[in-house]
Amino acid sequence: METRIPLAWRWAAEEAVLGTLACEEWDLAARGAHGLAARIAALPGAEALEIVPGVRSVLVRAREGEALAAGPLLAMREIEVAKDGESAGTEHRFAVGYGGAGGPDLAAVAAAAGLSGREAVALHAGALYTVAFVGFSPGFPYLLGLPPALRLPRRQAPRPRVPAGSVAVAGPFAGIYPQATPGGWHLLGHTETALFDPRREPPALLAAGDRVRFVPA
Amino acid sequence: MSTLEVLRGGTLTTVPDLGRPGHRAGGVPASGAMDPFAAAAANLLVGNEPRAALLEITLRGPVLRFGRAATIALAGARFSAVLDGRPLPWNRSVAVAAGGALEIGDALDGARAWLAVDGGIAVPEVLGSRSTHLRGGFGGHEGRALAAGDRLPLGPPGDGLPRRLAAPLFAPRNGRLEVRILPGAGEEGFTALARERLTAAEYRVSPLADRVGLRLSGPPLSHTAGADIPPEGTLPGMVQVPGGGEPIVFGPDGPTTGGYAKIATVAAADLGALAWLRPGDRLRFRRATLGEAREALARRRAAVAVAVEICSGIEENSREEGAACTPST
């Protein structure tokens, strides 16, 4: 079944517009945003645009020094999404060492969910995730599909340094830290797979719309 | 290959060019010189293309030794700087002998300056740019700030013609700056009082101000329905307001997405001048229309392109900034 989601645009900078989908259901909204991003990428002249999906939005910006031809964008007023559809992106599997030094928050997250560590791992590794968007730092994927029991607010005190490869959760999202950065997410485990390599094209391993599974190592 | 040897790195000296567009969807910000107009001017002063790689210097500068004769130019905030025992003039080209040593000390009236060398800093391009991305650990010199012992490759020498900056760059005066803002980033998420305060109040630059974001302190800006929004794409200049109510202006290394409400976007024409602000300096916001902001940006770009003129008859290493300069024809 197809559903139509209304789309509203506003100018966010001199040569940038932000299109936001009027949808509170993030899984559906994210698929709508991916569909919108794909439609924009198919417009003539789109190679000169930066197209940045958010969880239910798409930011479109002209390259430095160029004017944004916004007409065809502003003319898009709604986006059609399959209600029970699945993302068509590439599927990736990440081997994860759960708990221990690489996952110092596993016990606390499990306790908050009223689960044993083993049950929390089974829950996290049992889900199929979709990359809603990539942001925060190079290659950092925001994954939707986290089981509700594992959803917790961010840590009160962010860590000044989260190791690269940390598999983490915060709010409705699961994620993986590609670089050692400051971070406030709960760390469940660690993966050795590189998520970002500036010598690769594209440099980010994951893209909006891709699917992700975690496999206990 | 001719090199630039680093004898001291300084507080935070990095290699930028004018940025790395096209990778925001992969979480990669453009990076690039924090004031692109000042960086372009420094490059033009030594005869480089505006987007050549150069050095961005923060608060306390580096000590450098030149492996070949070079033409250099320092533009931006004023720093105490000594070249081979003599004070270095700024906003003009200066000839350096092979083996020459340049010591850039403390910033005197701002936070950052840009040092261009003829031929540019010839570090390899990564994703189409030579700019350092500190969080990502790539670009520039090994993806990090410069440190003692580093050797930077230099491009081929330029024409060596004497040049000076004939018009001032847009910058703070006496630690105060007013910048234009656009409304589209999401101001409907803020109370009427917050929107009024944003332009009525004066904000101070916090010590937590860097290339990722300029944190400001001042009257808090209240949200109508909480600080959190569904994360969406962000751009340099966007003014994000976390739960505490104090705004942060994103810089060139700012995140590509963000989950806090944004009240405004600083006009691109005025954004570079934020790079000159020191902790404690004062910032005001003034509303502008999209049309005004675009016009201002076009004017700013045009002004930089004509601000640098070739001189004749100025003494080498003349200490005066406004040394006699007859435009050559």
Side-chain angles (χ1 to χ4, degrees), chain A residues 16-45:
Chain A
V17 291
L18 182 73
T20 306
L21 295 163
C23 177
E24 299 301 327
E25 210 181 307
W26 284 12
D27 297 277
L28 188 63
R31 275 190 283 123
H34 304 156
L36 175 58
R39 269 176 68 183
I40 296 166
L43 290 172

Side-chain angles (χ1 to χ4, degrees), chain A:
Chain A
M1 195 178 72
E2 295 273 306
T3 180
R4 290 164 183 272
I5 305 176
L7 172 62
W9 292 94
R10 61 180 187 234
W11 285 90
E14 285 86 346
E15 305 301 343
V17 291
L18 182 73
T20 306
L21 295 163
C23 177
E24 299 301 327
E25 210 181 307
W26 284 12
D27 297 277
L28 188 63
R31 275 190 283 123
H34 304 156
L36 175 58
R39 269 176 68 183
I40 296 166
L43 290 172
E47 60 283 352
L49 300 175
E50 293 235 46
I51 303 166
V52 186
V55 73
R56 60 166 190 183
S57 61
V58 177
L59 179 73
V60 186
R61 184 207 212 184
R63 293 283 174 87
E64 193 66 34
E66 289 173 32
L68 180 68
L73 301 171
L74 305 184
M76 297 181 189
R77 308 305 294 271
E78 58 181 21
I79 195 95
E80 281 189 6
V81 193
K83 188 95 175 137
D84 304 306
E86 237 186 29
S87 176
T90 313
E91 186 170 315
H92 305 260
R93 284 168 182 265
F94 292 91
V96 180
Y98 282 97
D105 300 328
L106 176 63
V109 170
L115 301 170
S116 69
R118 191 180 293 255
E119 288 167 332
V121 168
L123 208 51
H124 183 262
L128 173 64
Y129 300 86
T130 304
V131 180
F133 62 95
V134 174
F136 173 64
S137 77
F140 189 111
Y142 282 72
L143 307 172
L144 287 171
L146 183 68
L150 299 179
R151 297 180 189 180
L152 291 175
R154 271 174 285 198
R155 286 165 55 85
Q156 284 287 332
R159 289 185 171 90
R161 189 175 186 280
V162 171
S166 294
V167 173
V169 295
F173 295 112
I176 311 168
Y177 284 84
Q179 301 87 18
T181 57
W185 292 28
H186 306 271
L187 312 183
L188 302 185
H190 186 269
T191 181
E192 296 292 327
T193 309
L195 277 98
F196 186 84
D197 180 352
R199 293 158 300 182
R200 200 164 54 192
E201 182 60 48
L205 178 64
L206 302 178
D210 285 357
R211 289 176 298 169
V212 167
R213 285 186 189 278
F214 295 107
V215 183

Side-chain angles (χ1 to χ4, degrees), chain B residues 119-156:
Chain B
I121 309 294
V123 294
E125 286 196 354
V126 179
L127 300 174
S129 161
R130 295 187 166 90
S131 289
T132 314
H133 180 41
L134 291 172
R135 177 173 277 183
F138 60 87
H141 180 67
E142 300 176 1
R144 58 169 173 80
L146 301 187
D150 289 343
R151 285 172 177 273
L152 306 179
L154 294 175

